Amino acid sequence: MSKSDLFIEWTFNQGKRVMGVDTPSDVFKAWDEYHTDDVSSLVKQDILLMVGTKDHYEPLHQLGDQVMTLTAAPSVTCRVFTEEEQAQNHCQVGNTGLAISVILNWLDQVGGRKA
């Protein structure tokens, strides 16, 4: 199927690279086994979570699921990017300037950026 669909081909190639596996079936297995709920409660720093409404990797509902697991974080800030902002895609492709601005403003708010 990936031979006739460039998006599927890219997805599996990216999955193989990111997950460190060799085959599409290994990608599915790695994705199935990948989770953060067993370590999220150990995070003890301020958190910024960002997602686009049309993200092809991270479903929007995952934002709330992740927030609920970050129980030790002093603060959790969430930012949802929209089509109106042209930042609805994964990594806010289409408006990376806005994403960078949000990140820098958040860093200033939590004292994470030293001038």
Side-chain angles (χ1 to χ4, degrees):
M1 195 166 151
S2 67
K3 300 255 187 267
S4 63
D5 187 316
L6 292 176
F7 178 72
I8 292 174
E9 179 181 9
W10 175 86
T11 299
F12 281 117
N13 286 335
Q14 183 74 355
K16 288 188 292 186
R17 184 171 68 232
V18 169
M19 303 309 288
V21 298
D22 296 320
T23 68
S25 63
D26 290 338
V27 171
F28 280 120
K29 184 177 183 201
W31 283 340
D32 190 48
E33 294 172 355
Y34 186 82
H35 55 88
T36 61
D37 56 341
D38 58 340
V39 295
S40 292
S41 65
L42 304 175
V43 175
K44 296 178 180 174
Q45 64 189 45
D46 296 303
I47 302 292
L48 172 62
L49 299 173
M50 304 187 336
V51 67
T53 56
K54 301 288 184 178
D55 194 312
H56 64 277
Y57 265 145
E58 307 299 332
L60 192 53
H61 74 82
Q62 202 169 50
L63 177 66
D65 296 344
Q66 184 67 60
V67 168
M68 298 303 292
T69 66
L70 295 165
T71 56
S75 72
V76 178
T77 302
C78 300
R79 178 60 156 87
V80 177
F81 294 86
T82 66
E83 289 180 80
E84 291 78 20
E85 299 169 303
Q86 297 180 338
Q88 73 276 11
N89 296 305
H90 190 67
C91 296
Q92 288 59 68
V93 171
N95 197 345
T96 52
L98 175 59
I100 291 168
S101 177
V102 167
I103 293 166
L104 293 176
N105 287 334
W106 176 81
L107 284 169
D108 289 341
Q109 290 175 2
V110 298
R113 185 167 69 145
K114 308 293 184 216

